[in-house]
Amino acid sequence: GLTPTSAAAATSEVVKMKAPDKPRAAVSAHGKLRGGELGAKAKALVAQIYQHPDDRALRAVHADQLLEDQHVWGELISLQLADPKRNAAQIEQIFKQHARDIVGDIANVAARDSITIVDGFPHTVECAQSKTFTSADERHTAAIAPQWATVRTVRLTGMMTGTFIRELLHNPASANLTKIEDGNWNEIKPQLVRADAGAPWQVVGADCGRVLDGLPDAELARIPAPAKPALVEELVKARARRVKQLAAKPKAKAKPKR
């Protein structure tokens, strides 16, 4: 069922919902609504929201545009902005049928009951699919998806690959993450946290090697010295050595054209 919870970084309640398989039409006070492709104006508004993920007023404008386009996502945003608890049943029904319209390729790696939506956009995502269930291409498209721009917390199970973690954390859209959790199926613990997007990461987990190894060099270097474990220093040095080795490697001579 639908379970409203609170989100520290959100001004409204959040709702956990299951991801669907195929979208279908919905009928509401706005008439018959559809899923699928967004109109040009709606696409432009989504791009603005990804640039300003904390602007709730912009989400309301986006909802109005979607409803004008008869798109069901507008109904979901409006219901959550108005009263997510009272509208929980309708929100769940819409999300069940149209999740991919909202979370895009993140659905490739997210467990069915582990996508938390705030004001119509993904806020917390647990990546719990293993390579047994998804192909390398599906994990790649999930990692580079633009929909990560509104996500604040990502949870990784032990089944997620180092390549996926590295691609995700190098994705510019993941710049708004404030918590990265990692672990096995039974226990997922915080590994890296920060006060807000753009702040340096703080290491809070002892066994955080694969998460740290996935960070871009610039983010790794910004971890404050008092909280920087020896592992971070080792990773920085190892990356510096790889850069020198690549620079020192003689370049192959181009073959003369015949």
Side-chain angles (χ1 to χ4, degrees):
L2 200 63
T3 307
T5 58
S6 62
T11 55
S12 64
E13 294 188 63
V14 289
V15 182
K16 272 194 172 184
M17 293 164 286
K18 295 183 179 180
D21 295 319
K22 295 181 180 179
R24 291 176 293 177
V27 178
S28 72
H30 300 279
K32 189 173 182 180
L33 303 178
R34 63 173 182 84
E37 187 76 12
L38 299 182
K41 290 182 180 179
K43 285 181 179 179
L45 284 166
V46 168
Q48 289 184 49
I49 290 169
Y50 290 162
Q51 291 296 316
H52 307 282
D54 295 324
D55 191 337
R56 295 182 78 234
L58 190 55
R59 297 192 187 197
V61 173
H62 179 51
D64 290 343
Q65 180 60 53
L66 288 167
L67 289 172
E68 185 177 319
D69 295 342
Q70 294 290 292
H71 198 289
V72 71
W73 189 7
E75 180 86 339
L76 185 146
I77 297 172
S78 297
L79 290 169
Q80 281 208 308
L81 287 172
D83 191 335
K85 188 172 182 178
R86 186 181 65 184
N87 299 321
Q90 290 172 272
I91 293 168
E92 179 181 29
Q93 181 68 17
I94 293 171
F95 193 82
K96 272 186 175 182
Q97 298 174 357
H98 301 275
R100 190 169 283 273
D101 289 334
I102 300 162
V103 304
D105 286 327
I106 290 176
N108 291 349
V109 295
R112 290 181 61 84
D113 61 348
S114 63
I115 300 174
T116 304
I117 299 296
V118 175
D119 298 338
F121 288 77
H123 182 274
T124 300
V125 176
E126 180 176 324
C127 300
Q129 296 285 6
S130 75
K131 59 185 179 182
T132 304
F133 303 109
T134 55
S135 68
D137 285 344
E138 287 174 319
R139 292 194 301 278
H140 171 69
T141 55
I144 65 172
Q147 287 83 1
W148 290 104
T150 62
V151 177
R152 293 293 183 167
T153 298
V154 60
R155 298 185 180 121
L156 306 162
T157 70
M159 302 293 285
M160 298 310 298
T161 66
T163 299
F164 171 80
I165 296 171
R166 190 159 47 253
E167 289 182 334
L168 170 61
L169 299 183
H170 278 73
N171 179 356
S174 68
N176 294 311
L177 288 173
T178 55
K179 184 185 291 186
I180 304 171
E181 300 180 348
D182 191 19
N184 56 37
W185 288 101
N186 300 317
E187 187 176 29
I188 299 178
K189 296 180 178 179
Q191 299 292 335
L192 299 179
V193 298
R194 56 184 174 184
D196 52 57
W201 288 104
Q202 298 282 344
V203 178
V204 296
D207 184 18
C208 56
R210 72 181 193 145
V211 175
L212 288 171
D213 197 34
L215 284 178
D217 291 346
E219 292 293 333
L220 195 64
R222 292 179 64 219
I223 294 176
K228 196 189 297 268
L231 178 59
V232 175
E233 299 290 355
E234 291 174 11
L235 286 170
V236 171
K237 290 177 181 178
R239 291 184 185 186
R241 285 195 298 270
R242 286 199 295 269
V243 171
K244 287 183 179 179
Q245 288 170 357
L246 289 172
K249 188 176 180 180
K251 295 182 180 179
K253 292 182 179 180
K255 292 182 180 181
K257 294 182 179 180
R258 292 183 180 180

